[in-house]
Amino acid sequence: APRSWIARLVLPARLVLLAGERATVLAMGCGEMEACRLRTLGLCEGAAVSVVRTRDCTLLEVRGSRLAVCLSLASDITVLPVA
């Protein structure tokens, strides 16, 4: 994929993905404990995600479930936006 299409889920002070947008998770750049917990909840490399809401946290829909991720943790998740 062209590098310009690969983006972090959230950047400080600016959202890359907005509510309603979809993406595929490419990498988990957070700490191993956080990544393990997120993978247990279904948020892992290759997972398709939809952004439900972005406010105090990022609310994602992953594999039929909703998962709230704090903005600092979301900024460590690399995604590929889906058209």
Side-chain angles (χ1 to χ4, degrees):
R3 185 75 180 151
S4 61
W5 286 103
I6 297 174
R8 296 284 183 180
L9 187 57
V10 176
L11 292 176
R14 185 170 93 77
L15 297 176
V16 173
L17 293 179
L18 303 174
E21 293 185 310
R22 299 176 308 157
T24 301
V25 177
L26 296 180
M28 308 293 284
C30 52
E32 190 55 38
M33 286 179 52
E34 291 91 354
C36 183
R37 177 70 176 145
L38 291 172
R39 288 181 182 115
T40 300
L41 295 170
L43 184 62
C44 57
E45 295 83 349
V49 299
S50 280
V51 178
V52 176
R53 185 187 76 216
T54 54
R55 211 179 281 161
D56 298 331
C57 65
T58 301
L59 183 61
L60 301 171
E61 187 167 308
V62 182
R63 299 178 189 210
S65 297
R66 289 188 174 187
L67 177 64
V69 179
C70 69
L71 296 177
S72 63
L73 184 56
S75 69
D76 291 332
I77 300 170
T78 305
V79 299
L80 178 64
V82 176

